[in-house]
Amino acid sequence: MATATFRIWRGDSGGGEFRDYSLEISPGMVVLDAVHEIQAKQAQDLAVRWNCKVGKCGSCSAEINGMPKLMCMTRLNQLPLDAPITVQPMRTFPLVKDLVTDVSWNYEVKKKIKPFKPRKPDFPDGTWRMVQEDVDRIQEFHKCIECFLCQNVCHVLRDHRLHQQFVGPRFFVYVASLDMHPMDIEDRVEELKNAEGIGFCNITKCCTKVCPEEIRITDNAIIPLKERVVDRYFDFLRIGFSRLLGRKDRRALRNR
Amino acid sequence: MPEYQVHEHDVLVIGAGGAGLRAAIAASAAGVSVGIVTKSLLGKAHTVMAEGGIAAALANVDERDNWKVHFADTMRGGQYLNEPRMAQIHAQEAPDCVRELEAWGAVFDRTAQGKILQRNFGGHKYPRLAHVGDRTGLEMIRTLQDYGIHQGIDVHMECVVITLLKDGDRVVGAFGYDRERGRFQLYHARAVVLATGGIGRAYKITSNSWEYTADGLALAYRAGAELKDMEFVQFHPTGMVWPPSVRGILVTEGVRGEGGTLKNKDGRRFMFDDIPPLYKNQTADNAEEGWRYTQGDRSARRPPELLTRDHVARAIVREVREGRGSPHGGVFLDIAWIREKMPHSAEHIKRKLPSMYHQFKQLADIDITKEPMEVGPTTHYVMGGVRVHPETQMSTVPGLFAAGECAAGLHGANRLGGNSLSDLLVFGKRAGAHAAAFAQEHQAGQVSAEEVGAAARQALEPFDRPSGESPFLIQRDLQETMQDLVGIVRREEDMHRALEVIEQLGERRRRAGVVGNREYNPGWHTALDLSNLLLISEAITRAAIERKESRGAHFRDDYPGRDDASGKSNLIIRQGPDGKMQIARKPLPELPAELKQIVEEMK
Ligand SMILES: Cc1cc2nc3c(=O)[nH]c(=O)nc-3n(C[C@H](O)[C@H](O)[C@H](O)COP(=O)(O)OP(=O)(O)OC[C@H]3O[C@@H](n4cnc5c(N)ncnc54)[C@H](O)[C@@H]3O)c2cc1C
Ligand code: SF4
Ligand code: SF4
Ligand code: FES
């Protein structure tokens, strides 16, 4: 059986260092198994979050060899084992300890977003009717497991640290899920532009690339939302340019 | 005197899965202040993993369905050890609870008429499970979470309750710590709702998360409450078996609901070989009829793959034991075969079972649209739990309520798939409402400083033994013991042996040590969880020894038949005055004439 080295970040908000642990590995193992094995036998107090071990709860986000991933869905046979495998916490959030970060900011953000507001029921028995096609669109967004990997890679948060002005891709997905809900009647356009800061997003698609649920965050959530903002606030632009440019070019221009 | 932070709430809910969130919402709606404590982050509780759906007789797909059929299915599935009043309330109230979720923003899959779609599941006579692909639990927890955060509920994330506090007979709060900093927390409350989920981490092969360490059951037991039917631990027939690191991870029953078949290594559909008399009338006797059933043909009867879980799990164990299993010690579950029946089968499977497709592809390199899966039983659910009043969900301890998986009664000897998510909604709501009423009727009680001090000191003891054994290893040994000696097929002498080992593990736990400090220290957390796991493992084992018959999820190799006398009572466990575990038989409640008639009619 092969042996691999895991270079795991150990420390807390006061500082820390990478430490190497070597481990015998077995077929089918994922990074989270390795971390647990190390925890059981070599480093009892190694802090890590997990619940489901099957990519459904979004607890075990980390950066593996520099890539933001779920530890439970990253198999060792997808990684080169001749060099140490580095495992470190998400960088965008304050560190609690080892692989655990403080993601509470995300929970605060969500509270501020205007909640779901349904139209009156379609029938006297208090029920609604919706067709599957309309539902499909937001079911994609409902797949979000709140792993916050997209938040972790978005440069608006990661590099520019605009946490106060920008809610991040996860919450654009959330707003889109509310806004495109066939029953919802709330208006969230003003907040999108101002409090939620959608204008800061310049469609680099880094968030889409890391989403373990393969939600097309930028194409299906952010761009349509941006269009709503533009339609309401920059209508003159649309009118002005629409004679000169095709639709696609207009979009590129707006997002520059 | 150890320091702690104090929080005041009228109602304290312990657990933020479906049951806890629903309880907190109900209590808050009744106008009292509510706090909710969870070991994980909000939205990560076990409920997030549920796949197949929520059972509710909405009759959207088959108008023959109604609460009476659901009630009768639940009672039959539970082999009549269910609390009948709970089964009745559950069947009657589940549809409204599902509709309520929709009103809060959940989007279920739709029928052609735009109603909530329902799917087939084991033991349910008609398609009854409202679902969202195979990620219904995520939809449910997210809806409750997002609705709940606007109801003024205080959420204490990543906090763990280690003991309940009492004033005389009555529960008046709880004491615990936050994982992040390891600081002690005191929650002062007029009523407490336990919604802590199950016990699956007592076993080695399990679909359950790290949180399932039986905390609520142990907390209730130590506070003087009664536990009921602890011998009934459900082994789901289909968990992954290969590769080893994914062993136990659940493969939803939805696969069989959509037409998946079980085969042994010779390619034989062994489920046709042994159909229990209780279900003979309702089960297809040929493959063609079974297929038609899964595709919505209402004149067809269900395929034997959709018999109750206890039965399917045992049939799989039999195939494996008799040498007809798959290469890695399971059997084959095949959904790929439906390409013989439909043109775009791969797309169909991906749409109906997206997370299963993903799970096998990613974790086992298997494309389920092309190849069969290898599956075997996995520890999944506990039917037993805290004994509660069927209407109010209050335990035998005043002010202490329980709902969801940690409460007993609804499911009897075996739970039908989908009946848990509806259980969470129906009884979570009731527990929250009745806890709020209790809080309104009672003054806040007194908390004893000595009691709190003692609990804190005890919790810190493992730090005094930095060179003691790792609690993780003790937990592993417990898991092996329960798996081997108190598993799917049980024997008297094995279980006596298990009791001895549990006692030895208790000794080892008292000598276990932890390193590091109190901040986010999983070793310490595991050391504390262990005492709950050991206590409840003992309860499971004692109850399993006591029930000398085979019924539902409890199968005794040495008593393979059913015993009508034993079948007329539940087993109750409580702590005796000497501190030892006591076990007693409690005769089943008389079935009211009206319910008796329903059961007869639906036979
Ligand atoms: C993979 C899988 C698939 C399933 N599919 C289905 C399905 O399709 N249909 C169905 O009906 N059922 C299904 N089930 C079963 C169902 O999901 C569970 O029974 C149900 O979710 C339990 O909900 P709960 O609210 O009781 O507990 P949970 O959702 O587990 O919540 C327990 C909560 O209690 C907290 N907690 C525990 N101990 C403490 C403590 N000491 N202090 C503080 N907080 C604590 C936890 O942190 C958590 O928040 C499935 C289960 C699994 C594992
Ligand atoms: S596309 Fe927008 S939200 Fe996504 S990473 Fe880029 S800037 Fe951030
Ligand atoms: S959108 Fe995707 S990456 Fe972002 S939190 Fe949700 S699941 Fe994670
Ligand atoms: S443990 Fe749940 S996503 Fe990894």
Side-chain angles (χ1 to χ4, degrees):
Chain A
M1 214 167 271
T3 306
T5 303
F6 291 84
R7 182 159 291 172
I8 302 182
W9 206 90
R10 302 295 314 268
D12 55 27
S13 55
E17 61 186 6
F18 280 103
R19 262 186 243 160
D20 284 358
Y21 301 89
S22 98
L23 194 71
E24 284 210 340
I25 59 173
S26 55
M29 238 173 151
V30 294
V31 171
L32 187 64
D33 292 321
V35 170
H36 282 156
E37 209 44 49
I38 290 165
Q39 200 180 45
K41 302 207 176 114
Q42 304 180 45
Q44 262 191 39
D45 60 340
L46 166 57
V48 58
R49 274 198 190 106
W50 74 284
N51 267 40
C52 68
K53 212 173 162 279
V54 59
K56 286 190 183 154
C57 71
S59 302
C60 66
S61 310
E63 298 185 7
I64 299 163
N65 286 349
M67 292 298 294
K69 283 183 176 296
L70 298 176
M71 284 184 261
C72 68
M73 295 304 273
T74 309
R75 289 178 65 184
L76 298 184
N77 66 4
Q78 298 160 343
L79 303 168
L81 296 180
D82 41 0
I85 297 160
T86 59
V87 189
Q88 65 194 102
M90 290 191 283
R91 257 214 304 169
T92 300
F93 305 110
L95 187 65
V96 173
K97 192 179 141 193
D98 303 338
L99 301 174
V100 173
T101 55
D102 176 0
V103 291
S104 58
W105 169 76
N106 294 287
Y107 291 93
E108 295 312 312
V109 169
K110 193 191 252 180
K111 276 192 214 158
K112 293 189 196 124
I113 292 170
K114 281 186 182 166
F116 175 67
K117 185 169 160 193
R119 64 168 186 258
K120 283 217 175 66
D122 300 340
F123 289 85
D125 65 357
T127 60
W128 290 267
R129 297 288 180 275
M130 290 182 261
V131 293
Q132 186 64 40
E133 273 154 39
D134 289 345
V135 158
D136 278 342
R137 191 149 79 139
I138 64 164
Q139 282 187 341
E140 177 186 3
F141 305 140
H142 283 215
K143 287 194 303 186
C144 170
I145 55 174
E146 302 201 327
C147 64
F148 306 131
L149 286 171
C150 57
Q151 305 286 77
N152 180 49
V153 291
C154 176
H155 60 99
V156 183
L157 299 170
R158 192 174 174 112
D159 304 322
H160 304 297
R161 314 212 71 85
L162 294 179
H163 293 69
Q164 295 306 316
Q165 291 119 288
F166 182 73
V167 297
R170 156 60 187 136
F171 295 103
F172 293 129
V173 167
Y174 180 60
V175 173
S177 79
L178 294 168
D179 221 54
M180 298 179 198
H181 194 302
M183 280 157 57
D184 182 79
I185 51 170
E186 185 61 89
D187 183 341
R188 299 181 186 81
V189 180
E190 202 239 292
E191 282 79 6
L192 266 174
K193 175 173 171 285
N194 299 321
E196 291 154 19
I198 197 165
F200 287 107
C201 163
N202 52 4
I203 318 276
T204 57
K205 297 203 180 182
C206 310
C207 50
T208 304
K209 276 181 216 123
V210 298
C211 178
E213 285 294 316
E214 296 174 0
I215 300 172
R216 281 151 296 170
I217 304 176
T218 22
D219 288 347
N220 291 357
I222 297 183
I223 291 173
L225 291 178
K226 272 178 173 271
E227 281 173 352
R228 288 193 188 189
V229 172
V230 170
D231 285 351
R232 180 164 313 168
Y233 291 96
F234 306 104
D235 227 24
F236 62 94
L237 264 187
R238 195 171 62 137
I239 297 160
F241 282 109
S242 57
R243 288 190 209 105
L244 299 169
L245 301 168
R247 194 182 145 82
K248 213 170 168 188
D249 299 332
R250 275 205 318 275
R251 186 183 291 163
L253 193 89
R254 255 185 249 134
N255 297 327
R256 203 172 275 159
Chain B
M1 180 76 213
E3 281 182 27
Y4 49 80
Q5 296 179 310
V6 183
H7 312 271
E8 299 278 346
H9 305 291
D10 292 329
V11 171
L12 178 73
V13 179
I14 308 176
L21 285 167
R22 191 63 194 83
I25 291 169
S28 181
V32 300
S33 72
V34 181
I36 186 163
V37 198
T38 151
K39 290 216 269 192
S40 291
L41 295 171
L42 188 58
K44 310 294 183 194
H46 210 76
T47 299
V48 82
M49 286 198 252
E51 293 164 346
I54 311 175
L58 294 158
N60 285 354
V61 169
D62 194 322
E63 78 290 343
R64 292 172 296 181
D65 203 15
N66 58 52
W67 79 262
K68 292 179 183 172
V69 189
H70 192 182
F71 168 77
D73 286 353
T74 302
M75 293 295 291
R76 189 185 309 111
Q79 309 247 326
Y80 304 104
L81 284 184
N82 325 53
E83 168 66 59
R85 178 71 183 132
M86 265 176 106
Q88 178 187 13
I89 291 173
H90 168 254
Q92 287 173 327
E93 296 181 3
D96 273 344
C97 285
V98 170
R99 285 191 277 264
E100 188 172 62
L101 274 192
E102 180 153 282
W104 294 347
V107 279
F108 295 98
D109 288 355
R110 316 308 296 182
T111 66
Q113 298 76 39
K115 295 182 183 176
I116 295 173
L117 180 63
Q118 298 182 274
R119 71 156 41 127
N120 291 313
F121 237 56
H124 293 281
K125 188 160 183 192
Y126 302 121
R128 187 176 288 145
L129 267 62
H131 62 281
V132 186
D134 52 8
R135 45 170 196 80
T136 313
L138 174 63
E139 189 74 10
M140 176 161 153
I141 202 164
R142 200 68 81 228
T143 304
L144 293 172
Q145 169 190 346
D146 293 350
Y147 183 82
I149 56 173
H150 299 289
Q151 311 306 312
I153 298 163
D154 288 323
V155 185
H156 306 277
M157 284 192 226
E158 298 200 302
C159 290
V160 182
V161 168
I162 51 177
T163 184
L164 296 174
L165 301 170
K166 286 179 78 178
D167 180 355
D169 281 350
R170 186 190 145 196
V171 163
V172 293
F175 184 68
Y177 63 90
D178 69 287
R179 289 165 65 82
E180 193 170 308
R181 298 268 160 260
R183 290 166 304 202
F184 288 119
Q185 310 286 331
L186 192 153
Y187 309 95
H188 195 200
R190 296 168 188 228
V192 174
V193 180
L194 293 170
T196 54
I199 57 104
R201 299 304 290 181
Y203 288 82
K204 183 171 150 199
I205 301 174
T206 176
S207 66
N208 291 182
S209 78
W210 69 272
E211 297 189 301
Y212 267 29
T213 50
D215 294 9
L217 280 71
L219 292 171
Y221 172 91
R222 294 200 191 96
E226 292 178 351
L227 304 180
K228 174 171 152 174
D229 291 346
M230 292 306 299
E231 67 277 29
F232 296 121
V233 175
Q234 180 168 77
F235 299 92
H236 194 291
T238 60
M240 293 175 81
V241 297
W242 185 261
S245 65
V246 297
R247 190 143 197 204
I249 290 176
L250 197 75
V251 179
T252 174
E253 197 164 300
V255 176
R256 283 169 283 143
E258 299 296 343
T261 57
L262 289 168
K263 292 185 189 136
N264 65 19
K265 77 168 202 283
D266 310 320
R268 183 176 172 80
R269 252 180 102 173
F270 56 87
M271 287 308 301
F272 276 112
D273 294 350
D274 171 24
I275 297 167
L278 199 60
Y279 286 96
K280 205 109 211 167
N281 292 339
Q282 303 181 0
T283 310
D285 50 19
N286 65 78
E288 188 52 34
E289 183 180 7
W291 166 252
R292 283 192 283 115
Y293 175 91
T294 63
Q295 299 313 298
D297 179 342
R298 301 176 31 177
S299 65
R301 292 168 301 175
R302 66 174 155 240
E305 274 86 359
L306 290 178
L307 285 164
T308 53
R309 290 176 174 175
D310 52 333
H311 183 74
V312 182
R314 269 195 307 278
I316 294 175
V317 170
R318 181 193 63 215
E319 291 303 304
V320 175
R321 276 188 163 186
E322 296 176 7
R324 294 186 296 271
S326 66
H328 302 105
V331 294
F332 295 106
L333 170 61
D334 190 5
I335 182 81
W337 79 275
I338 68 171
R339 64 179 161 244
E340 294 166 19
K341 296 282 184 188
M342 52 172 67
H344 302 290
S345 65
E347 281 62 47
H348 179 80
I349 293 167
K350 284 186 212 167
R351 195 176 67 246
K352 290 287 185 180
L353 301 160
S355 28
M356 281 307 109
Y357 174 75
H358 196 76
Q359 181 172 317
F360 273 89
K361 193 106 188 117
Q362 197 123 345
L363 296 175
D365 294 322
I366 281 179
D367 180 347
I368 65 167
T369 69
K370 300 205 176 82
E371 294 171 71
M373 309 157 232
E374 265 187 82
V375 296
T378 181
T379 315
H380 187 57
Y381 186 88
V382 60
M383 273 69 73
V386 181
R387 183 163 93 84
V388 292
H389 185 279
E391 311 262 349
T392 65
Q393 298 292 107
M394 191 156 90
S395 70
T396 43
V397 175
L400 182 63
F401 297 75
E405 191 169 341
C406 72
L410 172 58
H411 310 292
N414 178 45
R415 170 176 74 88
L416 299 187
N419 267 1
S420 168
L421 292 186
S422 42
D423 172 9
L424 310 183
L425 293 171
V426 169
F427 294 107
K429 182 176 178 175
R430 279 185 170 257
H434 287 282
F438 186 96
Q440 280 159 337
E441 287 157 15
H442 293 81
Q443 295 297 315
Q446 290 291 318
V447 167
S448 143
E450 285 103 275
E451 208 183 326
V452 170
R457 274 189 303 278
Q458 207 181 358
L460 293 174
E461 277 170 10
F463 285 107
D464 300 337
R465 301 180 289 261
S467 56
E469 188 182 8
S470 161
F472 293 104
L473 300 181
I474 301 173
Q475 190 184 20
R476 282 189 189 184
D477 286 351
L478 175 65
Q479 290 166 341
E480 305 239 339
T481 303
M482 292 301 285
Q483 189 75 37
D484 295 345
L485 303 178
V486 202
I488 304 180
V489 175
R490 300 166 171 175
R491 262 179 241 101
E492 188 101 14
E493 71 260 30
D494 285 352
M495 292 191 283
H496 282 295
R497 171 89 192 107
L499 285 180
E500 284 165 29
V501 180
I502 291 168
E503 184 153 350
Q504 290 155 10
L505 291 168
E507 287 299 313
R508 275 167 67 190
R509 182 191 71 83
R510 280 184 282 280
R511 293 194 304 269
V514 297
V515 297
N517 56 31
R518 281 162 67 174
E519 298 187 354
Y520 220 110
N521 188 334
W524 181 38
H525 304 159
T526 302
L528 296 179
D529 292 346
L530 250 182
S531 68
N532 298 337
L533 266 185
L534 284 163
L535 179 81
I536 295 309
S537 296
E538 181 185 339
I540 293 170
T541 311
R542 288 196 188 281
I545 292 173
E546 179 67 24
R547 185 169 288 282
K548 295 185 183 9
E549 62 159 349
S550 294
R551 182 178 296 268
H554 173 68
F555 186 82
R556 291 280 303 256
D557 219 15
D558 40 4
Y559 299 93
R562 281 206 262 165
D563 169 33
D564 285 342
S566 305
K568 291 198 170 60
S569 46
N570 298 112
L571 294 179
I572 303 292
I573 286 183
R574 71 162 82 77
Q575 188 167 31
D578 58 355
K580 293 225 172 75
M581 205 172 265
Q582 287 183 344
I583 184 158
R585 285 168 187 260
K586 185 171 174 296
L588 292 180
E590 185 68 34
L591 201 59
E594 176 208 347
L595 299 182
K596 199 178 244 160
Q597 195 190 340
I598 297 172
V599 166
E600 287 305 320
E601 280 169 15
M602 305 283 169
K603 272 224 163 109

